[in-house]
Amino acid sequence: MNTQPTLAKEGGSTGTTGQTPSSDGLKAGLKNRHLSMIAIGGVIGAGLFVGSGSGIAAAGPAILLSYALVGAMVVFVMRMLGEMAAARPSSGSFSAYADQALGRWAGFTIGWLYWFFWVVVLAVEATAGAVILEGWVPAVPQWAWALIVMVVLTATNLASVASYGEFEFWFAGIKVVAIGAFVAIGLLAVFGVLPGSDNPGAGFAHLTDTGGFFPMGAGAILTGVLMVVFSFMGSEIVTLAAGESEDPQRAVTKATNSVIWRIGVFYLGSIFVVLTLLPWNDASITEKGSYVAALDSIGIPAAGQIMNVIVLTAVLSCLNSGLYTASRMAFSLGRRGDAPKSFAKVDKRGVPRAAILSSVVFGFVAVFFNYEWPDTVFAFLLNSSGAVALFVWLVICVTQLRMRGIILRESPEKLVVRMWLFPYLTWATIGMIVFVLGYMIYDGGSAREQVVLSLLVAALVLAIALVRDRVAKASRG
């Protein structure tokens, strides 16, 4: 049997693995339940569990409006992306659409920036998971735990896309069940009907009884936006994964239509419960974390350890999806000639082995930087990828303005998902994203550093893209 990898081409392959080949050589190994859980869990990152306490401290109950504003922005962006992905499923998702609608330079630039973002996230999440695991088993050093976690999830992704989907199904499932239970139990305690609860059950009083709903002023809503915006990154993963499912159009349509309730329940619902169980300025929210503090107020035993298990699950889920996402973007770039050709090769299981290994190697290097030079080299990597989420959303918006016309001309029957109030709401979303980027620069501090460094890296990648295009044109002419 020939085990040599083959170069993926537009026509697909006729592999005999039992999985349906997709149009780009990858295997359609993701089942509907995998896609459903990836869609639900994709918007729940470790940042929601770990970082929400800082947002509450900065804005008070008004942080709910910060989450609502960013949530609305993500809903609009996902609607636009869903429109394009349902019509043209692709492992490169928005990067491939930018390539078609705006030019090679756009697809190259945003594709490589997105890959860079996720490989840095690999290092962040591996380290976060290692900290928790070392606390449980201190005999194993932190760097070894990070290595073990990375190796296990790399093996999962190398096995098949179905194994990635299965791991993500269970990881995301635990997150979803945990937050669902937290919201349900928390609401019972809020209204004083939870048996055995230690919380006085003040109803909605805590939303206004400590300095009002805007204790830090209305301007704190924008500060809160800057603190929560990056916890939403990942909602677009389902559009990349859809290309390896049996029915991409159905999967994308379902994910796009459900994003509103997902954000409403998991983000707004859980933060609302925290703010109604405790006064926003309760010291335990920042000392223990918002969710642990809320569970402690109810009297849930071992709340800290329970949350550590949930956070570790979120970390592993993010690592699993991050490696998958980075490798599929590298694969797409390889297919379009914007990355080494080896990235576009798949093995007999339809797995882009070179794309996965190259992504994880950079992730390993970033982990090393995090241990050796956390305040210099790794801080630069972290800050220079910090605003990429907003760049991606901005490119999706601009691309959709052009892609709508292209889809209507070439295959109007595939326009099964439509952006609401096009083009007015698309332009409004562009304005929202530009405003957030501008406010980050105005706000100063780490936010300004993230935007400036991210813009510098983006300018460097864009310059490479333009030089490549000019060289290619010169060679053809």
Side-chain angles (χ1 to χ4, degrees):
M1 182 181 295
N2 180 18
T3 59
Q4 292 300 313
T6 56
L7 185 62
K9 296 183 181 179
E10 195 62 43
S13 97
T14 57
T16 58
T17 61
Q19 296 174 320
T20 306
S22 71
S23 62
D24 54 13
L26 300 172
K27 302 296 181 184
L30 292 175
K31 299 177 181 178
N32 288 333
R33 66 182 177 89
H34 294 153
L35 265 294
S36 296
M37 198 56 75
I38 290 169
I40 295 172
V43 294
I44 310 171
L48 174 63
F49 300 105
V50 178
S52 55
S54 300
I56 292 171
I63 194 68
L64 284 169
L65 296 181
S66 303
Y67 274 102
L69 283 171
V70 179
M73 191 162 66
V74 172
V75 166
F76 297 152
V77 170
M78 278 298 295
R79 188 75 185 182
M80 288 179 252
L81 184 54
E83 176 181 298
M84 297 182 287
R88 299 187 175 190
S90 168
S91 59
S93 187
F94 51 86
S95 173
Y97 309 141
D99 193 306
Q100 298 166 31
L102 306 178
R104 289 286 298 276
W105 62 270
F108 178 95
T109 304
I110 203 63
W112 277 113
L113 285 176
Y114 192 68
W115 178 87
F116 175 57
F117 171 85
W118 279 110
V119 293
V120 173
V121 166
L122 291 180
V124 174
E125 300 296 341
T127 303
V131 169
I132 295 174
L133 290 166
E134 187 189 30
W136 294 342
V137 188
V140 179
Q142 194 179 115
W143 66 266
W145 277 122
L147 181 64
I148 291 169
V149 166
M150 291 276 277
V151 168
V152 169
L153 293 180
T154 300
T156 300
N157 276 265
L158 285 172
S160 70
V161 68
S163 62
Y164 154 73
E166 198 63 32
F167 266 72
E168 191 57 24
F169 176 80
W170 292 106
F171 286 156
I174 292 171
K175 290 189 292 184
V176 169
V177 169
I179 294 186
F182 175 80
V183 172
I185 293 171
L187 286 175
L188 291 175
V190 165
F191 294 110
V193 293
L194 182 68
S197 173
D198 295 340
N199 192 284
F204 300 146
H206 288 322
L207 294 176
T208 55
D209 64 5
T210 313
F213 191 75
F214 300 98
M216 312 299 286
I221 296 173
L222 292 176
T223 303
V225 164
L226 303 187
M227 301 183 78
V228 307
V229 66
F230 301 109
S231 64
F232 283 84
M233 191 65 169
S235 53
E236 70 290 333
I237 290 175
V238 69
T239 65
L240 282 81
E244 294 178 79
S245 67
E246 297 170 353
D247 190 350
Q249 191 176 79
R250 177 178 177 274
V252 170
T253 302
K254 186 177 180 181
T256 303
N257 291 337
S258 65
V259 70
I260 297 176
W261 72 259
R262 287 185 277 132
I263 289 175
V265 171
F266 298 130
Y267 280 85
L268 289 173
S270 61
I271 298 300
F272 176 81
V273 166
V274 172
L275 289 167
T276 48
L277 284 174
L278 292 165
W280 68 271
N281 60 351
D282 190 298
S284 64
I285 291 179
T286 51
E287 290 172 0
K288 300 178 181 178
S290 55
Y291 291 85
V292 173
L295 291 173
D296 277 343
S297 77
I298 298 173
I300 301 293
Q305 286 303 320
I306 292 172
M307 193 51 59
N308 272 341
V309 173
I310 296 170
V311 171
L312 179 62
T313 303
V315 164
L316 295 175
S317 172
C318 192
L319 261 172
N320 194 38
S321 287
L323 182 52
Y324 171 83
T325 305
S327 66
R328 283 348 184 240
M329 186 57 72
F331 169 81
S332 178
L333 288 166
R335 284 189 70 236
R336 288 178 271 145
D338 291 336
K341 289 183 179 180
S342 61
F343 286 10
K345 293 179 181 179
V346 297
D347 62 18
K348 63 180 181 180
R349 294 184 298 273
V351 173
R353 185 182 297 268
I356 291 173
L357 292 176
S358 63
S359 300
V360 82
V361 163
F362 193 95
F364 277 127
V365 171
V367 169
F368 173 75
F369 288 155
N370 193 15
Y371 286 112
E372 288 297 316
W373 303 289
D375 300 322
T376 52
V377 179
F378 188 73
F380 171 79
L381 291 177
L382 204 57
N383 286 323
S384 59
S385 64
V388 167
L390 290 167
F391 296 168
V392 167
W393 294 345
L394 188 59
V395 167
I396 289 171
C397 295
V398 176
T399 300
Q400 191 260 342
L401 286 172
R402 298 288 301 275
M403 279 295 289
R404 168 67 73 90
I406 294 173
I407 295 170
L408 284 174
R409 284 196 308 272
E410 298 180 359
S411 49
E413 73 282 358
K414 293 184 177 180
L415 199 63
V416 295
V417 177
R418 289 175 179 261
M419 176 58 184
W420 308 294
L421 298 176
F422 177 83
Y424 308 108
L425 202 49
T426 300
W427 280 111
T429 308
I430 290 172
M432 290 169 64
I433 297 170
V434 171
F435 175 80
V436 171
L437 285 168
Y439 190 78
M440 289 176 74
I441 295 174
Y442 169 78
D443 192 57
S446 62
R448 176 184 295 170
E449 186 178 6
Q450 284 185 8
V451 174
V452 171
L453 288 177
S454 296
L455 282 172
L456 286 174
V457 171
L460 175 62
V461 178
L462 175 59
I464 294 171
L466 294 175
V467 169
R468 288 178 78 257
D469 278 356
R470 180 167 296 184
V471 171
K473 288 178 181 177
S475 63
R476 288 195 301 268

